């Protein structure tokens, strides 16, 4: 399985909306946090765009995602929002350039269809927090901090409270 390179300060993280609409103002804290972490941010054209409940037409969302996947300067892609819509465009995505230079793709919910396609390319992706998690204050920090650690290649200690269903093992 291919693991994309870990991020370094100064690297660029792209933000796109391949699914549902999210207003640009709801992404601002995410942008500010990523910049505070030392990253450059490249906004896709679908961030803040709206067509019905989507972040643009199928063609716009497909083109925006494809542009970020193909852009060699973008080292990770953070999906701003899930909802519905990625399944409408997934068959239009070409992974040739992505395969030559894999990058982290982050999201959950509807973005899972993108994770499945990336898995078919034998590459890792991150089922993790999207832009809204950065606006949750201290309640969201556990998620955003773990994302930062993962992107940068730092190990994390995970702890689960004892429960009768827990079983010892290795992960």
């Amino acid at each position: 399985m291919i693991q994309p390179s870990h991020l370094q300060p100064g690297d660029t993280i792209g933000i796109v909306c391949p699914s549902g609409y999210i207003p640009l103002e709801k992404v601002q804290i995410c942008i500010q946090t990523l910049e505070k972490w030392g990253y450059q941010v490249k906004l896709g054209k679908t961030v803040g765009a709206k067509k019905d409940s989507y972040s643009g037409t199928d063609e716009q969302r497909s083109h925006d995602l494809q542009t970020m996947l193909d852009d060699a300067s973008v080292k990770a892609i953070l999906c701003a929002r899930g909802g519905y819509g990625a399944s409408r465009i997934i068959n239009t995505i070409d992974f040739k350039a992505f395969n030559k230079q894999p990058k982290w793709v982050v999201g959950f919910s509807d973005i899972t269809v993108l994770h499945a396609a990336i898995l078919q390319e034998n590459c890792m992706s991150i089922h993790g927090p999207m832009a809204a998690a950065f606006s949750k204050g201290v309640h969201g920090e556990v998620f955003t901090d773990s994302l930062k650690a993962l992107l940068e290649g730092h190990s994390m200690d995970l702890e689960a409270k004892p429960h009768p269903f827990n079983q010892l093992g290795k992960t």
Side-chain angles (χ1 to χ4, degrees):
M1 173 113 3
I2 299 164
Q3 178 177 330
S5 299
H6 298 298
L7 273 58
Q8 304 293 324
D11 282 345
T12 300
I13 298 177
I15 301 177
V16 295
C17 286
S19 298
Y21 163 73
I22 187 169
L24 178 58
E25 51 272 10
K26 287 197 172 185
V27 181
Q28 290 299 333
I29 292 175
C30 175
I31 295 167
Q32 292 166 357
T33 303
L34 295 174
E35 289 174 343
K36 186 177 92 181
W37 289 352
Y39 299 114
Q40 304 294 316
V41 175
K42 184 172 192 171
L43 280 183
K45 294 180 180 177
T46 52
V47 178
K50 188 171 193 317
K51 170 68 173 149
D52 301 321
S53 64
Y54 305 109
S55 60
T57 65
D58 289 351
E59 294 77 18
Q60 290 167 327
R61 289 180 290 111
S62 174
H63 182 264
D64 201 30
L65 177 58
Q66 189 70 60
T67 299
M68 289 290 183
L69 288 168
D70 294 349
D71 188 336
S73 72
V74 174
K75 303 301 181 192
I77 299 171
L78 177 67
C79 296
R81 152 146 215 245
Y84 175 74
S87 62
R88 293 170 53 120
I89 65 169
I90 196 64
N91 290 333
T92 67
I93 302 301
D94 180 348
F95 289 96
K96 285 181 194 147
F98 175 84
N99 287 334
K100 290 178 184 171
Q101 189 175 17
K103 56 192 77 181
W104 291 110
V105 176
V106 183
F108 69 95
S109 183
D110 189 52
I111 305 307
T112 304
V113 73
L114 181 55
H115 292 306
I118 291 169
L119 180 61
Q120 292 297 310
E121 301 297 323
N122 199 38
C123 188
M124 295 178 182
S125 61
I126 300 172
H127 192 268
M130 294 186 282
F134 290 80
S135 302
K136 297 190 182 298
V138 293
H139 300 294
E141 283 179 9
V142 66
F143 307 113
T144 57
D145 289 349
S146 65
L147 175 62
K148 181 179 188 288
L150 189 58
L151 289 171
E152 294 176 355
H154 302 296
S155 62
M156 298 177 292
D157 291 328
L158 300 175
E159 194 174 304
K161 292 181 181 178
H163 189 279
F165 294 146
N166 290 357
Q167 294 182 12
L168 293 177
K170 293 186 179 202
T171 60

